[in-house]
């Protein structure tokens, strides 16, 4: 960081702090961008969950929902406590649970496909009397 020392020695501290503050404000991604992206992912996931008749699409929509939650966890962790890794740890737990959910869900879908020959959600009536 030699350029920083040269600039700091030539400029006053007030001007330098103001310049660096403006520079960081314009170069860093703000929290709103991450929240908008996470909200869009969440809405797409909910739409896919509600409108899809295919079981595989339902599982993919659930994955989108969990990924939007992970994005929120990472964004808020970075925004509130940049030195800590609390949000990242929770995101790893959510990723682990999402992987288990995908494996179990896919196994159930494959089992139903072998028995019924379809993965259409309206054809699943296994629990009906």
């Amino acid at each position: 960081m030699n350029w920083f020392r040269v600039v700091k020695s030539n400029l006053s501290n007030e001007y330098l702090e103001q310049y660096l503050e403006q520079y960081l404000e314009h170069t860093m991604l703000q929290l709103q961008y991450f929240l908008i992206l996470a909200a869009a992912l969440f809405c797409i996931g909910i739409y896919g969950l509600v409108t899809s008749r295919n079981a595989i699409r339902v599982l993919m929509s659930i994955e989108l929902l969990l990924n939007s939650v992970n994005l929120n966890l990472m964004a808020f962790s970075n925004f509130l406590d940049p030195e800590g890794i609390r949000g990242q740890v929770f995101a790893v737990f959510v990723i682990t649970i999402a992987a288990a959910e995908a494996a179990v869900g896919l196994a159930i879908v494959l089992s139903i496909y072998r028995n019924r020959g379809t993965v259409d959600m309206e054809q699943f009536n296994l629990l009906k009397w």
Side-chain angles (χ1 to χ4, degrees):
M1 293 254 169
N2 290 334
W3 64 271
F4 185 73
R5 289 184 191 142
V6 170
V7 170
K8 188 175 181 180
S9 64
N10 292 337
L11 300 173
S12 68
N13 286 339
E14 292 177 15
Y15 179 76
L16 180 65
E17 288 176 6
Q18 181 183 10
Y19 175 76
L20 288 177
E21 186 176 306
Q22 288 177 355
Y23 176 76
L24 291 176
E25 182 179 306
H26 293 296
T27 58
M28 289 179 44
L29 289 175
Q30 296 176 355
L31 180 64
Q32 294 89 357
Y33 300 130
F34 292 107
L35 295 181
I36 290 170
L37 178 62
L41 280 176
F42 195 82
C43 290
I44 292 170
I46 288 290
Y47 178 76
L49 192 66
V50 170
T51 62
S52 180
R53 293 175 48 183
N54 190 345
I56 302 296
R57 285 189 196 148
V58 169
L59 289 174
M60 290 172 58
S61 298
I62 292 171
E63 292 294 324
L64 274 176
L65 293 173
L66 292 173
N67 283 331
S68 70
V69 170
N70 282 340
L71 189 59
N72 276 332
L73 286 171
M74 299 291 280
F76 277 113
S77 173
N78 191 24
F79 180 73
L80 296 176
D81 188 19
E83 288 84 25
I85 58 167
R86 286 183 230 147
Q88 288 87 343
V89 170
F90 281 119
V92 168
F93 285 134
V94 171
I95 290 170
T96 305
I97 292 185
E101 171 261 333
V104 171
L106 192 57
I108 291 171
V109 168
L110 286 175
S111 174
I112 290 174
Y113 180 74
R114 285 182 188 160
N115 292 332
R116 298 290 173 126
T118 183
V119 290
D120 189 11
M121 294 293 286
E122 292 182 6
Q123 301 294 325
F124 294 167
N125 57 2
L126 298 174
L127 297 177
K128 290 184 180 178
W129 288 86

